[in-house]
Amino acid sequence: MTHPFATRRAVLGSVIAAAAARPLAAATAVPEAATLLAPGPEEGASASYAHRAARGLARGLVQAAALRVSVLGGADGITAANRFAVSTPADGRVLLVLPGLATQSLLIGDPRARFEPRQWPAVAGNLAPALLAGRGALNAAGTVRLALPGPAAAETAGLLALDLLGRAATPVFLPAGMAPEVAVTLGSADAVVLTGPGAAARATAVGLTPWFAFDGTKHGRDPALPDVPTLGEVLADPAQPDLLAGCRAAAAGLRTRALVVLPALTSADVVALWRAAARRWGEAEPDSAESGLRQVRAQEAAEALATLCPGPEAALAYREWLHRRLGFQAG
């Protein structure tokens, strides 16, 4: 004789299986309207990307929906991320464009940053190549002068990388707004961190050799720099893994132009809905090889976010290194 509880379990299992087999569109309602928060200014890079993302994601949804862009705060993304963290319901109606600059503020311990992005599901992202280039060979003797915007900048990943490699280096802080290539041309620096389209060509134009690229997804080579070895390749046996993780986090801040994320605790169905929209957007608008910027889907965007937000030991190691090496302490 069949036990009634066993029968109920069998029926319940059939119901769950049938529900799982339904199309996503039937199981999850597409919001009639949604908002994509983006850091300012209105004409800035994050806002520009947000408008592109809003159009692409809206077209990628299985039903028509309005996705408007709301620009908030400055280019560092702190204000927008703080607002998103404290006032956003996890119903899929509000998304955020998170720039790498915002996570750099977390990494250095900026007290203004009061958000925790580790559990924010990533939907899509926009990544750029980044490399360190210098005169001569990476393993040459002598002290290299590395051009940097300032001690809090993500470009300090280049100085930390040289420290990890055992190459003597001294920072050369640039006047506000000066491109690092200008410092090389003026003779005040002989190594630079470059990011964005044409980074390798820009280095070559001022007589520098790309020494290494900051690691791409899963520490592999960046598709935009296939001939440039990664930091992981030239640093084959890291003696300080926490510092290396901090270095990679800062470098990811350079490489990550934007991530589109949902709030923590957003249901799996809603996350899948937006990720499917991002996939259709990517299929409809493939990036050109010449652009140097890559529109990535959920998995690679999530991996980028994980690199941007290392564990507390790595963040502490990075902050201690900043204080010891450059005398910098946030706040």
Side-chain angles (χ1 to χ4, degrees):
M1 177 177 171
T2 305
H3 196 284
F5 287 164
T7 303
R8 289 172 192 168
R9 283 197 298 268
V11 171
L12 181 59
S14 298
V15 171
I16 292 172
R22 291 180 198 139
L24 180 63
T28 306
V30 175
E32 293 182 2
T35 299
L36 182 56
L37 282 179
E42 289 280 356
E43 300 79 20
S46 291
S48 176
Y49 174 78
H51 285 289
R52 178 189 168 200
R55 291 190 297 269
L57 289 170
R59 286 196 300 267
L61 289 168
V62 293
Q63 294 172 220
L67 181 53
R68 73 179 187 92
V69 174
S70 177
V71 177
L72 181 68
D76 60 18
I78 294 175
T79 300
N82 283 342
R83 175 74 61 85
F84 181 78
V86 299
S87 62
T88 303
D91 59 5
R93 297 177 188 275
V94 180
L95 302 90
L96 171 71
V97 170
L98 179 71
L101 283 174
T103 58
Q104 175 68 10
S105 70
L106 280 179
L107 183 64
I108 66 174
D110 189 326
R112 298 175 301 153
R114 299 182 302 276
F115 56 93
E116 175 48 73
R118 296 172 196 273
Q119 303 303 317
W120 291 349
V123 170
N126 193 238
L127 304 182
L131 59 80
L132 190 146
R135 294 195 188 280
L138 174 60
N139 58 0
T143 300
V144 61
R145 298 169 300 165
L146 177 63
L148 294 174
E155 284 86 350
T156 54
L159 183 64
L160 176 50
L162 291 172
D163 284 359
L164 291 170
L165 288 164
R167 176 69 195 269
T170 186
V172 175
F173 293 118
L174 304 174
M178 177 183 282
E181 300 98 311
V182 174
V184 175
T185 302
L186 294 175
S188 57
D190 37 44
V192 296
V193 175
L194 298 176
T195 185
R202 286 158 52 203
T204 303
V206 291
L208 303 183
T209 301
W211 283 345
F212 57 82
F214 290 102
D215 308 32
T217 306
K218 296 181 179 177
H219 309 321
R221 291 196 179 190
D222 193 302
L225 299 167
D227 300 324
V228 181
T230 66
L231 173 59
E233 290 177 69
V234 298
L235 184 63
D237 185 22
Q240 303 177 76
D242 286 340
L243 267 181
L244 177 57
C247 178
R248 282 178 164 146
L254 278 178
R255 298 183 62 249
T256 305
R257 295 297 176 88
L259 295 177
V260 178
V261 296
L262 287 159
L265 305 181
T266 301
S267 71
D269 283 352
V270 172
V271 172
L273 180 79
W274 284 109
R275 286 178 171 175
R279 185 184 68 249
R280 296 186 193 100
W281 169 30
E283 291 168 350
E285 299 180 29
D287 293 320
S288 66
E290 294 76 22
S291 71
L293 302 178
R294 290 192 304 119
Q295 177 68 20
V296 298
R297 299 177 189 174
Q299 181 176 347
E300 195 165 352
E303 290 167 352
L305 183 59
T307 304
L308 286 163
C309 303
E313 297 84 0
L316 179 60
Y318 184 80
R319 293 171 194 175
E320 289 177 343
W321 172 84
L322 271 181
H323 183 61
R324 183 174 64 252
R325 188 70 159 88
L326 300 175
F328 175 82
Q329 192 168 7

